Amino acid sequence: MNKNDLARAVADKSGLSLGDASKALDAVLESIEGALAGGGEVAITGFGKFSVAHRNARQGVNPATGEKIQIAASKAPKFSAGAKLKAAVK
């Protein structure tokens, strides 16, 4: 399922027009993105939690040359599935 398919599914289940469902979906995604960019987290009870994972700097190896390289610290988005979502997938 891609973003357009998801917008269609939202429109069908909610009775919204496809345009309104797309706008609502865009607003939700932008809100999650904004919260994570600000260092926060978004928890949706039963569905899951979006958060920011901090990765420390570390030393790695270039597989082509075997040379040791320094990998900088970084941040990455993380999602933890909630109980209802886990149960639905099983």
Side-chain angles (χ1 to χ4, degrees), residues 43-66:
I44 302 170
T45 304
F47 182 75
K49 181 171 80 171
F50 296 90
S51 60
V52 179
H54 301 281
R55 296 182 180 161
N56 294 326
R58 63 193 187 280
Q59 194 172 48
V61 177
N62 181 336
T65 64

Side-chain angles (χ1 to χ4, degrees), residues 10 15 27-28 33-35 48 51-52 56 65 67 74 78-79 83-87 89-90:
V10 169
V28 168
E33 182 180 326
S51 60
V52 179
N56 294 326
T65 64
E67 177 186 359
S74 64
K78 178 181 171 183
F79 177 75
K84 287 174 86 175
L85 180 59
K86 287 179 184 178
V89 172
K90 285 186 179 183

